[in-house]
Amino acid sequence: VHLASVPMAMSADKLRHLMEQFGEVGKVYLQPEDKSETLRRKRSGGNKKQRFTEGWVEFMDRRLAKRVALTLNGTTIGGRKRHNFYRDDLWNMRYLPKFKWHQLKEGAIYNRHVRKARLDQKIGQARRENDLFLERVEQARQRQRMAERRAAKQAGGQA
């Protein structure tokens, strides 16, 4: 079951607790909000708790997951008014029929590999530029020594 939005300050434990009312829950994963977004929110004096943008819940029974998604989608989380911070928030969920857990991290892994490849390329380019620079510095030193020797020879020959 995919949760398109997670209520503010809801943790994976709380979500698991709420979903276990309907049946046996396997895995629960909540996608943390982007670090830049968190930083911006904290700087502007907002809530300092970690927030999550979306989430996934695995039920052990597929039919149960489908039923839970259909019945809860668009309804309020509910509960007692006094003891429930999420009472007025709406569930926004849907059942993902062919979802596999490895698909969850695929995009992040791909982005990490692309970033590493780019970084390796930039480091290689910098290393080549540095080697070329050092080679040119050495050539300049050799030319300067040759010019000094020529000048010393000419000065020694005229004296």
Side-chain angles (χ1 to χ4, degrees), residues 2 49 55 83 110 113 119 138 151 155:
H2 175 253
K49 288 186 177 182
H83 302 290
Y110 173 75
H113 284 300
L119 191 62
E138 188 59 36

Side-chain angles (χ1 to χ4, degrees), residues 130-144:
N130 192 32
D131 290 345
L132 180 66
F133 175 75
L134 292 174
E135 186 180 319
R136 296 249 170 99
V137 167
E138 188 59 36
Q139 287 174 355
R141 277 190 196 137
Q142 288 175 353
R143 279 193 224 107
Q144 190 174 359

